[in-house]
Amino acid sequence: MPDVSGIRRLHRERFGQEPEVFMAPGRVNLIGEHTDYADGFVMPAAINFATLAAVSPAADRNATLFSRNFNESVSLSLDLIGEHGSHHWSDYPFGVLSVLQQERISVPGFHLTLDGDVPLGAGLSSSASIEVASMLAMLHVAGVELPLPKVALLCQRAENDYVGAPCGIMDQFVSCCGAADHALLLDCRSLGYRLAPIPKHLSLVICNTMVKHSHAGGEYGTRRAEVEEGTAILRRHRPEIRLLRDATVDDLKRWGHEMPPNVLKRCRHIITDSNRTVAAADALEAKDLATVGRLMAEAHASYRDDFEASCPEADIMVELANKLEGCVGARLTGGGFGGCTVNLVESNHAAQFAASISAAYEKATGIHPEIYQSRASAGAHKVGQDVVVSHR
Ligand code: ADP
Ligand code: MG
């Protein structure tokens, strides 16, 4: 987490007022990929990289923002917020403000200082963390409290409508409701969730392949179309199948031959990955780490072979991880075609794991990776005056 006393000082120096400070974490998805839009299950964890938002009321009717990350200040009248962004970092806080205004929550003029250590654009959802931290800060100056799942839904709406990014609910939900030393099993249909304990002796090591293949956007569209095609075929036989959440592996065995081979594979990934996600939560609860590791390996293979959303660099990173001491499980996380792998690693081996995988990946690919060591961490909250921040 960034320096809390630092952001207080920065806010005081810039705006001459003592702020309240709110934090919201980034996240990593442990298992359950592309299952969200099929109304299936995902299991992310909040990480100990976060955005801090320091806020105080202003005398005027302006929303004045300062991002320490961009070393830039932006100010806009509350009456001119509009409904769409301008491809600038301020879209995230202004989008949140726009949604609160749509909800008829009257946010007065305010000063907001932002500082985050979630790597930007690395797939660890700095976007959800800045949205959630900003929303808690704005709700504070408005004097309004909302349940955290509602905050998550409103932040998702800000990202979908104002920023213009068609994300699901997972990122904002776990940034709001995550808990220290727990993963969060989320039912993307009901938004019901349950916390599954991650043993204290395990770390989350996130390895950034530093590649994002440019065809990712197009492939995402193709995958969604294939999944819809397969769902429609199953629905002809069982009309109650609205989305793949309602379908089973048996349905695929009976009617999969009616699908083009690629469509069958995509559907098989989603149905089995959603099942694996629930099984992984059960295994964490049973402290059965061998099963968690096996499920992560199966999930990676399914993502690679059935969903065909991996890439050579990610496969190399996972293969290397599986050979290292202390590795419980490894897989590609996120939307695919590059990005980060997530690794559950025994904490006493985590530093050596990070050093070894970094060297081996660079040797194999010529690319220097970034490695982030984390623990499953608490969701969004107000940060007290006297909090002593423990650095990683
Ligand atoms: P990811 O969510 O994977 O990090 P996104 O592209 O969805 O990547 O979101 C990253 C963007 O969020 C940044 O480019 C920036 O516009 C905004 N952002 C995140 N954190 C901050 C911050 N502390 N200050 C200003 N903007 C931020
Ligand atoms: Mg994002």
Side-chain angles (χ1 to χ4, degrees):
M1 179 151 80
D3 178 11
V4 178
S5 47
I7 198 173
R8 282 188 197 285
R9 194 168 51 245
L10 196 61
H11 191 90
R12 269 197 310 269
E13 284 165 9
R14 181 162 282 270
F15 299 116
Q17 290 169 309
E18 189 59 43
E20 290 290 354
V21 179
F22 297 83
M23 77 74 90
R27 63 94 189 93
V28 66
N29 191 22
L30 284 178
I31 189 163
E33 230 54 84
H34 287 255
T35 48
D36 55 348
Y37 53 80
D39 271 3
F41 289 86
V42 293
M43 190 164 68
I47 54 177
N48 57 349
F49 295 79
T51 303
L52 295 178
V55 73
S56 58
D60 54 21
R61 275 187 61 74
N62 290 334
T64 302
L65 318 172
F66 175 74
S67 165
R68 204 191 67 82
N69 299 75
F70 287 84
N71 193 25
E72 187 181 28
S73 176
V74 183
S75 192
L76 192 59
S77 161
L78 294 177
D79 306 312
L80 296 175
I81 293 300
E83 287 176 7
H84 301 288
S86 55
H87 304 289
H88 186 260
W89 63 263
S90 59
D91 289 359
Y92 295 87
F94 286 149
V96 160
L97 179 57
S98 169
V99 166
L100 291 178
Q101 289 179 340
Q102 286 163 28
E103 291 290 294
R104 311 218 170 284
I105 291 175
S106 97
V107 181
F110 62 86
H111 299 133
L112 185 74
T113 305
L114 295 158
D115 185 12
D117 66 357
V118 186
L120 306 187
L124 302 180
S125 216
S126 70
S127 57
S129 82
I130 185 176
E131 288 153 13
V132 173
S134 299
M135 186 167 285
L136 293 187
M138 289 179 213
L139 287 170
H140 172 75
V141 288
V144 173
E145 273 189 43
L146 292 179
L148 285 169
K150 174 78 179 170
V151 170
L153 281 166
L154 294 178
C155 286
Q156 182 201 13
R157 202 207 293 169
E159 183 147 350
N160 290 167
D161 296 352
Y162 194 96
V163 177
C167 61
I169 185 63
M170 169 171 79
D171 302 354
Q172 291 82 3
F173 201 95
V174 70
S175 182
C176 282
C177 302
D181 298 319
H182 287 78
L184 186 151
L185 176 72
L186 177 65
D187 179 338
C188 294
R189 172 164 283 174
S190 68
L191 297 190
Y193 71 96
R194 132 180 157 226
L195 295 170
I198 298 181
K200 286 196 193 304
H201 71 281
L202 293 188
S203 294
L204 297 170
V205 184
I206 299 156
C207 302
N208 191 340
T209 63
M210 310 304 279
V211 300
K212 187 77 195 172
H213 291 287
S214 55
H215 57 274
E219 294 285 350
Y220 182 81
T222 320
R223 294 296 180 284
R224 291 221 39 173
E226 288 165 333
V227 169
E228 272 171 36
E229 185 181 340
T231 311
I233 290 169
L234 296 180
R235 197 182 295 126
R236 286 210 289 268
H237 300 281
R238 285 215 295 125
E240 65 275 25
I241 296 179
R242 251 199 310 135
L243 292 168
L244 286 184
R245 159 62 177 270
D246 308 304
T248 65
V249 174
D250 276 349
D251 292 332
L252 289 182
K253 283 191 185 133
R254 287 180 72 181
W255 300 303
H257 65 274
E258 296 178 18
M259 300 176 186
N262 276 358
V263 170
L264 172 60
K265 283 162 65 172
R266 310 307 183 233
C267 294
R268 189 166 59 208
H269 166 75
I270 289 185
I271 294 172
T272 58
D273 221 36
S274 191
N275 292 344
R276 275 188 291 271
T277 302
V278 178
D282 292 344
L284 280 178
E285 267 157 17
K287 303 193 178 3
D288 178 359
L289 295 181
T291 298
V292 174
R294 178 178 54 76
L295 290 165
M296 287 176 77
E298 287 174 13
H300 184 75
S302 171
Y303 209 28
R304 180 190 62 211
D305 302 334
D306 270 355
F307 212 69
E308 295 184 85
S310 189
C311 62
E313 295 86 353
D315 291 341
I316 288 169
M317 194 76 95
V318 167
E319 270 167 41
L320 292 171
N322 282 324
K323 288 188 205 141
L324 291 174
E325 202 175 353
C327 180
V328 171
R331 55 175 284 279
L332 173 61
T333 183
F337 309 103
C340 295
T341 66
V342 59
N343 306 270
L344 271 178
V345 181
E346 290 167 14
S347 298
N348 56 343
H349 290 291
Q352 185 58 49
F353 176 95
S356 302
I357 200 161
S358 180
Y361 180 78
E362 186 161 354
K363 187 162 174 229
T365 62
I367 304 167
H368 183 68
E370 281 180 9
I371 314 288
Y372 320 109
Q373 293 187 56
S374 183
R375 303 188 58 79
S377 301
H381 57 270
K382 184 170 155 184
V383 183
Q385 282 285 0
D386 49 356
V387 168
V388 180
V389 181
S390 62
H391 281 276
R392 294 180 285 285

